[in-house]
Amino acid sequence: MTHQHTMTQARLEADKERLNRGRMLISCPDRAGIVAAVSKFLFEHDANIVQSDQYTMDPDGGMFFMRIEFDMAELGERLAQLKKDFTGIAESFEMQWRMTRVCDKKRLAIFVSKEDHCLVELLWQWQAGDLDAEIVMVISNHNDMREFVESFGIPYHHIPVTPDTKAEAERRQIELVEDKADVIILARYMQIISPRFIEVYKNQIINIHHSFLPAFVGGKPYHQAYTRGVKLIGATAHFVTEELDGGPIIEQDVSRVTHSADVNELKRIGRTIERIVLARAVQWHAEDRVLVHQNKTVVFN
């Protein structure tokens, strides 16, 4: 029996209802009048705000962040003109901004090695309709999960990586992903991503780190945790930057453990945390709930 993804009637109806729902993400220097200007603009264009979140880092000279969802009749036909009309306001407030339709889902490319727990979680959530995105491909340096992934109707690309072939392998990866994916998910992909790749997908590559950063960096984190007799273990989802495991953090979680947990038990608990934390981070990013400023994130959830 295949896992081929099928949309339920309820999901089809939900997608139809969202055809006229738009989303705005804004970051700019904080000053008076931002919310009023954006709200007035949407009102004057016959848009109805259905959700609005904002955050300021520091009222004096800080940054302001805003996420808005709105409904507008015939949004698909009017979006280009709406963006054009908003340009003047954006320039006056020095905004970095984007405006999209909710129904235009982000396209995900998932990179994975041999450990499958994070990949499986993402596929399950996607199949259930809980992950509001499209998984366009899975790329792996091993062939172990081809049959499982292809049973969902998702293309699977096996690109082996060795020290001698790493550059060529990455060239092939970029060629596959280019123009086909908006976001790259490293679901326990055990290879270092080059600065060139990171630059192309700045703040669009999400990694899951197998500990609660910053702690136990390097190899065998659960062995280190066991040796130190830790009482909490965790996982961290973050954007990938040139600084190894140093990018902006999107989500973290922990679980309490006791002295009786051996290395295998720590690994088992750790895998559960990893898959949940990564799935949350991917979902929030897919829903435009994450804004990056310097090496931090603002997450509206």
Side-chain angles (χ1 to χ4, degrees), residues 170-181:
E170 192 166 86
R171 185 197 65 76
R172 289 176 60 195
Q173 290 168 348
I174 292 174
E175 190 176 78
L176 278 171
V177 172
E178 193 173 23
D179 299 326
K180 295 184 183 70

Side-chain angles (χ1 to χ4, degrees), residues 22 25 44 51 58 68 76 106 114 117-120 144 161 166 184 196 208 243 249 257-258 269 274 278-279 292 297:
L25 278 181
E44 290 176 344
Q51 186 178 31
D58 184 345
I68 288 179
K106 285 186 170 55
K114 284 190 172 182
H117 53 287
C118 289
L119 170 66
V120 169
D144 302 47
V161 180
K166 188 172 179 63
I184 294 171
R196 174 173 169 249
I208 183 67
E243 180 186 353
I249 291 171
V257 296
T258 72
I269 297 170
E274 287 169 21
L278 180 61
V292 179
T297 61

Side-chain angles (χ1 to χ4, degrees), residues 60-125:
D60 278 330
M63 290 292 293
F64 177 84
F65 305 90
M66 190 174 192
R67 179 186 185 273
I68 288 179
E69 288 196 1
F70 61 90
D71 288 338
M72 175 184 287
E74 299 178 347
L75 179 60
E77 293 76 17
R78 299 172 64 186
L79 184 60
Q81 185 61 48
L82 194 67
K83 290 180 179 179
K84 185 177 179 181
D85 292 347
F86 189 70
T87 302
I89 293 175
E91 290 176 351
S92 68
F93 285 97
E94 302 175 71
M95 292 177 177
Q96 291 185 353
W97 63 284
R98 64 179 180 268
M99 188 185 300
T100 59
R101 291 195 306 165
V102 171
C103 62
D104 294 333
K105 299 180 182 182
K106 285 186 170 55
R107 302 166 300 171
L108 313 183
I110 302 176
F111 285 38
V112 65
S113 289
K114 284 190 172 182
E115 294 193 57
D116 65 355
H117 53 287
C118 289
L119 170 66
V120 169
E121 181 71 25
L122 292 172
L123 291 175
W124 281 347
Q125 292 207 14

Side-chain angles (χ1 to χ4, degrees), residues 108 122 131 185 206 277-287:
L108 313 183
L122 292 172
L131 176 57
I185 313 301
I206 298 176
V277 167
L278 180 61
R280 283 184 196 147
V282 173
Q283 180 179 356
W284 293 340
H285 187 59
E287 295 174 355

Side-chain angles (χ1 to χ4, degrees), residues 10-21 71:
R11 285 188 65 193
L12 287 170
E13 289 298 323
D15 282 348
K16 185 178 179 181
E17 288 178 4
R18 300 188 314 164
L19 288 174
N20 289 322
R21 179 154 296 181
D71 288 338

Side-chain angles (χ1 to χ4, degrees), residues 144-300:
D144 302 47
M145 284 171 276
R146 175 183 293 278
E147 184 176 350
F148 178 72
V149 170
E150 290 181 343
S151 73
F152 286 83
I154 297 170
Y156 186 92
H157 303 281
H158 174 219
I159 302 179
V161 180
T162 69
D164 294 334
T165 65
K166 188 172 179 63
E168 172 60 18
E170 192 166 86
R171 185 197 65 76
R172 289 176 60 195
Q173 290 168 348
I174 292 174
E175 190 176 78
L176 278 171
V177 172
E178 193 173 23
D179 299 326
K180 295 184 183 70
D182 310 300
V183 186
I184 294 171
I185 313 301
L186 306 183
R188 297 289 293 170
Y189 180 66
M190 308 307 291
Q191 296 288 330
I192 303 297
I193 304 297
S194 77
R196 174 173 169 249
F197 205 146
I198 293 169
E199 183 61 32
V200 173
Y201 285 90
K202 186 176 181 180
N203 295 331
Q204 297 295 320
I205 305 175
I206 298 176
N207 183 45
I208 183 67
H209 188 274
H210 47 199
S211 64
F212 191 81
L213 290 172
F216 301 126
V217 297
K220 297 186 175 180
Y222 294 114
H223 289 76
Q224 295 182 57
Y226 177 71
T227 302
R228 294 286 297 275
V230 301
K231 299 300 181 279
L232 289 172
I233 60 171
T236 303
H238 64 93
F239 289 115
V240 176
T241 63
E242 291 188 36
E243 180 186 353
L244 184 62
D245 298 324
I249 291 171
I250 305 169
E251 171 64 340
Q252 296 181 289
D253 207 346
V254 294
S255 179
R256 184 165 292 279
V257 296
T258 72
H259 60 275
S260 64
D262 59 16
V263 171
N264 288 331
E265 178 68 2
L266 294 180
K267 286 182 177 180
R268 185 191 66 77
I269 297 170
R271 284 194 295 268
T272 298
I273 305 171
E274 287 169 21
R275 61 183 178 82
I276 292 171
V277 167
L278 180 61
R280 283 184 196 147
V282 173
Q283 180 179 356
W284 293 340
H285 187 59
E287 295 174 355
D288 289 316
R289 297 185 181 275
V290 184
L291 282 165
V292 179
H293 177 64
Q294 296 176 353
N295 204 50
K296 292 184 178 181
T297 61
V298 174
V299 181
F300 293 116

